[in-house]
Amino acid sequence: MNLKEFANLIGLSQTTVSRAMSGYPEVKAETRARVLEAAEQLGYRPNISAQRLATGRVGAIGIVFQGGGRFGPHSSEFMGGLSTSLQKDGIDILVSTVETLEDEEAAYRGFAASKRVDAVILHTPGCADPRIALLQSLDLPFIVHGRSEAAKPFAYLDIDNFGAIKTAIRHLADHGHRRIALINGDTSSTYAHDRDNGYRATLQAHGIAVDPALIGQGEFTDETGFRLMQSFLALPAPPTAVIAGSMMSALGAMRAIRVAGLMLGQDVSLVAHDDVFPYLSPENLVPSVTTTQSPIRAAGERIGEMTLRLLQGELPETLQEVWEVDFVMRSSTGPAPN
């Protein structure tokens, strides 16, 4: 059915129905809910081309990946969630890949000039990220997956990375561990900086000295986890526990522990951060892995929802969320060895 037929069926004007379906903020919430419910029941779908003409939107969200290494399992899971959320409203995702920060900034300027996207998703922000100020100066709506320092408020979704590491260390310290290593990401990124701060602050709170030799940084890959764990185990006083920043680096750390002839969960304990990959389940590994957990696909879905709310007129400062991280204890952690 067309818009006129649908509007007649539910007893509203075509203008009201169109605005409700397009997310205009002046339409009452109960009216929008009534229209959406009726559309679902009657199988009505608006004409996308007409809807875009009416709203002035192009029906696309942009995301830029810098460097091939940034598009890995975490990115694909996030994109899957984002797509699931946006496709309900017929929103496309325009993906651009670049090599440098300068190229990425040029891509944003291109988006703003060409008006090919309605908004942008910015990911892996730095502690003081120049991309945020750029997007604000371009007046291009955006949401950040993560947080950063900025002069003006912006919309974001992040997890409590400081709290995740704090929980992991408290668990290990309660089991008597005093030599706790950290496999972290690049601390120029906010998430890794927060994890580093959580690591140092929580060790000190438990009266444990911070040993720089027990801190490693790198890409979240099996190879990085393996090499860093090997270097930790080669120390004169090796760690009795390790925190891995992802399940990918945890796999490498587990391999290094086995190569050294040690037993995971007995000689060395391991806590990993799990972004919940469908093909890598910590409970199915041997031994099962203790994790801090926050599904990255769910974050993608939520950011899609927040983006639509931003485009419907909600202020950026009302779209700021920090998710708590779950802790799941399994067999990879145990008492510190004597």
Side-chain angles (χ1 to χ4, degrees):
M1 68 184 74
N2 59 32
L3 174 61
K4 181 178 180 180
E5 292 168 335
F6 175 64
N8 288 336
L9 274 174
I10 64 174
L12 293 172
S13 70
Q14 295 180 51
T15 300
T16 298
V17 170
S18 178
R19 287 177 173 270
M21 297 290 289
S22 300
Y24 278 86
E26 62 266 26
V27 178
K28 293 181 179 179
E30 54 268 28
T31 303
R32 180 179 294 108
R34 174 187 167 189
V35 170
L36 294 177
E37 182 180 357
E40 183 68 26
Q41 291 175 349
L42 298 172
Y44 171 72
R45 293 293 180 270
N47 182 299
I48 297 298
S49 297
Q51 191 177 51
R52 290 172 181 174
L53 283 172
T55 61
R57 299 180 198 153
V58 297
I61 302 298
I63 186 165
V64 181
F65 290 99
Q66 183 189 140
R70 293 248 180 134
F71 195 90
H74 300 83
S75 301
S76 59
E77 275 299 289
F78 176 82
M79 292 293 288
L82 182 65
S83 176
T84 297
S85 180
L86 295 177
Q87 69 181 0
K88 301 173 187 175
D89 290 84
I91 306 295
D92 297 323
I93 303 174
L94 179 58
V95 178
S96 179
T97 57
V98 298
E99 291 302 320
T100 66
L101 174 61
E102 290 74 20
D103 292 339
E104 183 174 350
E105 292 177 342
Y108 295 137
R109 292 190 180 93
F111 284 158
S114 64
K115 301 189 182 303
R116 287 185 295 162
V117 299
D118 299 310
V120 165
I121 309 298
L122 192 151
H123 60 91
T124 323
C127 299
D129 200 310
R131 298 175 298 172
I132 292 174
L134 172 64
L135 289 170
Q136 289 174 331
S137 70
L138 293 172
D139 200 24
L140 183 59
F142 68 97
I143 290 187
V144 179
H145 184 204
R147 282 176 288 177
S148 181
E149 297 178 3
K152 296 192 294 184
F154 59 90
Y156 63 77
L157 171 66
D158 197 7
I159 66 171
D160 183 6
N161 285 290
F162 184 103
I165 298 299
K166 178 180 179 180
T167 299
I169 290 180
R170 288 179 60 183
H171 170 72
L172 294 169
D174 288 346
H175 281 74
H177 294 277
R178 309 285 294 179
R179 298 281 293 169
I180 303 171
L182 174 66
I183 298 174
N184 199 5
D186 184 349
T187 52
S188 64
S189 296
T190 307
Y191 81 91
H193 183 263
D194 288 348
R195 291 179 183 184
D196 185 74
N197 284 343
Y199 174 81
R200 295 172 185 273
T202 311
L203 284 181
Q204 292 172 356
H206 283 83
I208 303 172
V210 175
D211 184 351
L214 294 179
I215 303 173
Q217 300 177 13
E219 295 288 339
F220 286 149
T221 64
D222 175 281
E223 184 64 19
T224 298
F226 179 76
R227 296 302 177 195
L228 287 175
M229 193 68 220
Q230 276 195 322
S231 68
F232 295 150
L233 294 175
L235 293 170
T240 62
V242 60
I243 301 171
S246 79
M247 285 300 301
M248 307 304 293
S249 52
L251 289 177
M254 293 170 70
R255 184 158 55 92
I257 290 167
R258 292 194 181 98
V259 167
L262 302 172
M263 292 290 293
L264 185 63
Q266 297 181 25
D267 300 312
V268 182
S269 289
L270 169 71
V271 179
H273 182 71
D274 180 23
D275 286 299
V276 192
F277 300 127
Y279 46 82
L280 182 55
S281 177
E283 62 263 28
N284 292 333
L285 297 175
V286 180
S288 59
V289 176
T290 297
T291 59
T292 55
Q293 180 176 290
S294 183
I296 196 168
R297 178 174 284 265
E301 289 190 30
R302 183 59 175 164
I303 283 181
E305 296 169 0
M306 294 170 70
T307 303
L308 294 176
R309 290 167 56 191
L310 184 68
L311 293 175
Q312 290 166 7
E314 291 196 35
L315 297 176
E317 53 265 37
T318 67
L319 297 169
Q320 298 176 337
E321 297 183 10
V322 179
W323 287 3
E324 296 296 321
V325 176
D326 295 328
F327 181 74
V328 184
M329 186 172 66
R330 300 188 180 93
S331 303
S332 68
T333 53
N338 294 325

